[in-house]
Every structure is written in C-alpha cells, then in structure tokens.
Amino acid sequence: MKKITLNVNGRRRTANVEDNEILLDVLRDTLGVKSVKAACWRGECGLCSVLMYGKAVKSCLILAVEADGAKITTVEGLSRGESLSPLQKSFVEHGAMQCGFCTPAFVLTAHSLLTTNPTATDSEIKEYMSGLICRCGTYNQMLPAIKEAAKHYRKHASDDL
Amino acid sequence: MSFSSPYFTLPKFTYFRPKSVGEAVNLLQKYGDDARLMAGGVGLINMLKERLMDPKALIDLKGIPELHKIEYSESKGLLVGATVTLNEILANRQLKKIYPALWESISVLSDNNLRNRSTLVGDLCEATPWVDSPPSLIAYQSSVIITGPSGTRTLPVESFVRGMAQLDLKNDELVTAVSIPKPGKDSRGRYYKFAKGTEFGLVNLAVVASGYEHGIPRNTRFVYGGIADTPVVATGITEAFRRGVTGDSVAHASEIIKESLLWVRNSAQPLEDNLASAEYRKHLMEVVTLQALREVLGVR
C-alpha cells in the first residue's frame, strides 16, 4: 500500500493504493467520482478521460501511483456548484447527448481542445475528439455544441470559464 | 473493481520511480527479465491487462528529468528523450517543416488523449509490425541511444528492431533517447498509412527524399511498415533513384517509377494475417508506392 495525494477539482484527496491499481478505479471506487466512466478498460473508448495537469488523458491506462501529486479535473470541476460552464450549457442546449454516459469525457476533451485552440475548425474538432466513442451517435449535435461554446473561449481566458 | 475478469485488474508488481538513469540501470540489473520499463504506459498497461507479461518490477522512467528532453540543433538534428510524449513532439510546428514524414506518422498515431501519454521511444520499443513511427525514423536514418551498466552505445533504428517484439536490447539496458539527423538539402517527406476500419495500418510507407537535381532526388528512402515483422527498406527503389540522371527528366522520372514498381512486384513479400491477405497487401503497396513516387518526383 502506498498513500497518494491527488488534487481533484481543487480539493486535496488522499488514497491508499496498491502499486497495481488503476487511476480510473481509484477515482471511481475509492474517491467516489462516478462521472469518470469505465467502459472498455483498454484505452479505446475514451470515456474514462480526465484532465491531468490540464491535458486530456485516459485514466484506464494510468497507474494510481503514477498520478501521485497530480492535478486532476473531472467534469464536476468545470461547473461552479450548480451553475454549468458555457460548454456544458451548450451541450444541453444542442441536445448533444442521448444516454449521457459518454458526455463527461466529451465535455472534458472538448474543454481541453478549446482552451488550447478556440478557433478549431470542424475537421480539427473531429480529429481531436476521435479517441472518444458515443454509442448513441450524437456526434452531429456535439459538433455545433462545441463550436458554439468556442465563442466563449475566444472571449475569455480559460480560467474564467 | 468488482468484476472477476482478469482484464479489469493488473497482475501484482512493485512500482519503482527512479530519479536517474543510473538508478534505473541498477534496478534493471537487480531484476533482470523480471523488470519492465514504462514511459507512457499505454502499450504496457494493456499488455499487463492481457496477461502477456508478468513482471515483478515496473520501472517508471518519468521521474528522470534528463529523459524528458527534446532538443533540436542544425548540427545534431533532433534528440527525443524516452519520456517525451507524442503530443509534445507535435506541439513543435517547426518539426513539421523539418521532419514532415515523422510528424505525419505521429499525427495519425492513435488519438489525442492517448498521445498525451504515449511516447516516441515507447512506440518504437513496442516493435510490432503496425506501429507507425519506426518506418519514418528509419527513413530519416535515426539511431537509438542505449545506456547500460557498461556505458552508452548508439545503434541505427533498423538494426535495433530485430523482429516481432524483439529488440537489440539487453535486459539491463534502456533506451534513453532517439536521435534523428537533419535531412539533406531540399528534403521532402511524406507518410502514408492505409488503414481501413482499423487503427492498424495494413500498409504504411514513410518516404524521405533529398538532393534534388533537375527535379530528381538522388537520395531517397522508402520504408514500409505493417508488411513484415520489422520495417522493410526498399533498397531497389533507392537504387532506381541513384542511377545517374540522363536525358530529359520527364522520361527519367517515368523510368524510375517503372523500375520502382517492378521492385515492389518482384521483391515484396508482405505478410498475411486476419486483417489482409498477402496479395491484397501487395496491391496496396503498389498503390501507395505510386502515390509516393509521384509526390517526390512532382509528377501527376
């Protein structure tokens, strides 16, 4: 057992983990962050994506011990309490989800894209999001949702969102 | 996880995070074949989940600052440390101009969220036929820098990759960096990946051409991936370009194309697997080769 410390959405969290434990499982089962979804466990569906030091990564292929000290953002970290971020609102307004299972990963990955490239073109958005799978097939609603939200990212520094 | 399948868990191992290359080598010496090196972990953790390996010691290289360097200079070319991620390479737009074939091969490799973890050295060391970076690394005549108990050695990538998941690397050595020389004058490069319905390229081709005289490059490297256990350097195509430029360059270019395609037809022996037959792969080889030839020769 090793004690690790994570900064999850600005809160300091600690967990006792085995060397062979996966970050995804520690986030979900030990720390109770259920917005991080487990589906394929092999880096293909992307639904376990979180932001690690601001970069979108798939938490099913990261050891919990590797992440010791890391700053992790999950989809809860984008909203302020009950108030959704412009990107989250845009997903709702465009109906960019059906079952909602993949939504946290898509929102987080889109957030990381728009913070680095708020003028992303359609093809850049598609390419950037290509590691994520939505089984309901709401890609055609997500694309305008992301493009609409991009306006806010162009106006404000990402920290204000 | 409350599931019973081994796929949801990892085998037991001890995790080490050395702070220096020397410390990593000491661990390798201690654990020998029971040790595994990890950089991004994307390939490794999947292989652990599949129970394809069962190491006692897992050595994470990310705690070693000197391995996280990426440096470019006119004289030495590009040096990419073992823990530099693929996205860290792509973030440098200057490299797209200098090493287009390498840049393209990385940009089509897996996806953004994985490229934030995967490393170039890790991709190379996986040494499976379909990994994208080795053909372009070989086309740019790159070398790996290896450190072990007796010091450092340098080896061309094409001799480093020995076979399917086989490397010229002892169990107490590690690859600290890959060195990619600056290509010759007027260099052009492209990477072609023919992958349909799968992330694995059925045929990959990295092309680097330089030393243009009258529109014909004198130095070319065509390196195929996905067609054999290791990347295949098309020696026949290099030869076809090397023969002296005679007569008018249009006729000469069509002669090179003819000879190169003949080499593919007569010499290529692509593998056959559940993704594609050998015959289909050979056909694809001819298609991408023709595209590449037209590109480097600037003909339609």
Side-chain angles (χ1 to χ4, degrees):
Chain A
M1 279 284 185
K2 280 179 185 144
K3 187 178 175 182
I4 63 163
T5 306
L6 299 174
N7 176 328
V8 183
N9 301 326
R11 266 183 69 199
R12 188 174 175 274
R13 306 289 303 267
T14 57
N16 290 315
V17 301
E18 298 285 355
D19 285 6
N20 67 346
E21 269 190 272
I22 294 287
L23 177 62
L24 165 64
D25 297 335
V26 170
L27 286 172
R28 280 181 62 83
D29 299 346
T30 313
L31 302 179
V33 189
K34 301 287 189 184
S35 69
V36 186
K37 296 295 190 277
C40 80
W41 274 274
R42 50 190 290 159
E44 285 175 5
C45 73
L47 303 195
C48 62
S49 292
V50 297
L51 305 184
M52 194 167 164
Y53 298 110
K55 285 181 180 163
V57 295
K58 299 185 180 179
S59 64
C60 71
L61 295 180
I62 298 173
L63 299 176
V65 282
E66 277 183 85
D68 187 18
K71 180 178 184 289
I72 306 277
T73 307
T74 67
V75 77
E76 293 87 345
L78 297 188
S79 53
R80 282 202 184 132
E82 295 289 297
S83 142
L84 296 178
S85 78
L87 178 61
Q88 290 170 313
K89 267 189 210 149
S90 188
F91 265 66
V92 174
E93 281 159 13
H94 286 81
M97 68 206 67
Q98 189 176 320
C99 79
F101 193 80
C102 70
T103 312
F106 271 92
V107 169
L108 282 169
T109 305
H111 175 73
S112 79
L113 166 65
L114 296 179
T115 39
T116 49
N117 181 10
T119 56
T121 62
D122 285 16
S123 65
E124 281 171 336
I125 295 171
K126 287 178 187 172
E127 157 57 30
Y128 199 93
M129 311 294 288
S130 67
L132 307 176
I133 293 172
C134 167
R135 276 286 175 243
C136 304
T138 56
Y139 304 106
N140 285 339
Q141 286 74 34
M142 288 196 226
L143 189 61
I146 294 167
K147 286 176 73 176
E148 180 71 27
K151 291 175 189 166
H152 293 270
Y153 287 79
R154 289 197 288 270
K155 261 189 234 153
H156 307 283
S158 62
D159 290 342
D160 298 335
L161 290 166
Chain B
M1 268 287 138
S2 50
F3 296 91
S4 56
S5 160
Y7 205 76
F8 302 115
T9 62
L10 293 177
K12 288 246 177 262
F13 53 77
T14 307
Y15 172 85
F16 294 97
R17 196 179 170 96
K19 291 200 163 50
S20 68
V21 172
E23 211 183 304
V25 171
N26 285 344
L27 285 164
L28 286 171
Q29 281 185 292
K30 186 174 168 196
Y31 287 93
D33 287 336
D34 286 325
R36 283 283 165 177
L37 294 165
M38 173 165 83
V42 168
L44 183 77
I45 292 179
N46 262 324
M47 283 186 248
L48 291 171
K49 287 186 174 187
E50 302 264 16
R51 300 299 190 272
L52 292 174
M53 47 182 74
D54 186 19
K56 283 199 178 73
L58 209 149
I59 305 168
D60 185 358
L61 301 175
K62 288 191 290 292
I64 307 174
E66 64 172 283
L67 300 188
H68 196 217
K69 273 189 198 150
I70 174 165
E71 291 167 343
Y72 176 78
S73 73
E74 289 278 325
S75 55
K76 289 181 180 166
L78 180 65
L79 193 76
V80 180
T83 62
V84 173
T85 67
L86 298 174
N87 270 353
E88 283 166 346
I89 300 171
L90 293 181
N92 190 330
R93 305 297 288 186
Q94 188 200 5
L95 297 178
K96 187 183 184 179
K97 286 203 186 102
I98 305 170
Y99 302 101
L102 179 69
W103 204 91
E104 283 173 18
S105 70
I106 294 172
S107 68
V108 297
L109 207 165
S110 67
D111 60 67
N112 174 73
N113 295 12
L114 287 178
R115 285 194 300 262
N116 274 333
R117 299 290 292 177
S118 312
T119 62
L120 182 63
V121 172
D123 188 63
L124 172 62
C125 290
E126 200 168 304
T128 45
W130 46 81
V131 288
D132 287 282
S133 66
S136 40
L137 286 174
I138 292 171
Y140 284 112
Q141 314 208 33
S142 314
S143 307
V144 286
I145 300 165
I146 296 168
T147 299
S150 50
T152 295
R153 65 189 174 105
T154 304
L155 197 64
V157 170
E158 47 193 301
S159 31
F160 174 65
V161 182
R162 299 277 296 267
M164 173 76 108
Q166 283 179 347
L167 303 171
D168 185 343
L169 189 72
K170 296 188 198 80
N171 67 6
D172 56 3
E173 292 181 317
L174 69 125
V175 176
T176 55
V178 55
S179 161
I180 310 153
K182 191 179 177 229
K185 204 169 165 284
D186 312 323
S187 142
R188 289 188 202 173
R190 280 303 301 273
Y191 183 70
Y192 301 84
K193 177 174 185 171
F194 193 95
K196 210 160 189 187
T198 160
E199 70 200 83
F200 301 128
L202 301 179
V203 169
N204 300 327
L205 171 60
V207 178
V208 175
S210 65
Y212 278 82
E213 285 172 26
H214 309 291
I216 311 277
R218 298 301 300 274
N219 306 310
T220 60
R221 299 262 281 180
F222 279 55
V223 187
Y224 297 88
I227 61 156
D229 284 355
T230 62
V232 175
V233 180
T235 48
I237 297 179
T238 303
E239 276 307 305
F241 276 90
R242 208 165 267 165
R243 287 195 195 104
V245 180
T246 50
D248 110 274
S249 63
V250 176
H252 189 73
S254 74
E255 195 57 33
I256 290 174
I257 291 175
K258 214 167 103 187
E259 259 182 64
S260 301
L261 291 176
L262 200 66
W263 180 86
V264 172
R265 228 162 281 157
N266 294 338
S267 307
Q269 291 178 305
L271 60 82
E272 176 143 344
D273 59 15
N274 56 3
L275 296 176
S277 68
E279 193 191 350
Y280 182 49
R281 273 204 172 85
K282 194 158 193 164
H283 169 70
L284 292 178
M285 281 179 75
E286 290 181 33
V287 173
V288 294
T289 306
L290 183 58
Q291 280 178 22
L293 288 164
R294 285 176 173 162
E295 176 82 26
V296 297
L297 289 166
V299 295
R300 292 270 147 215

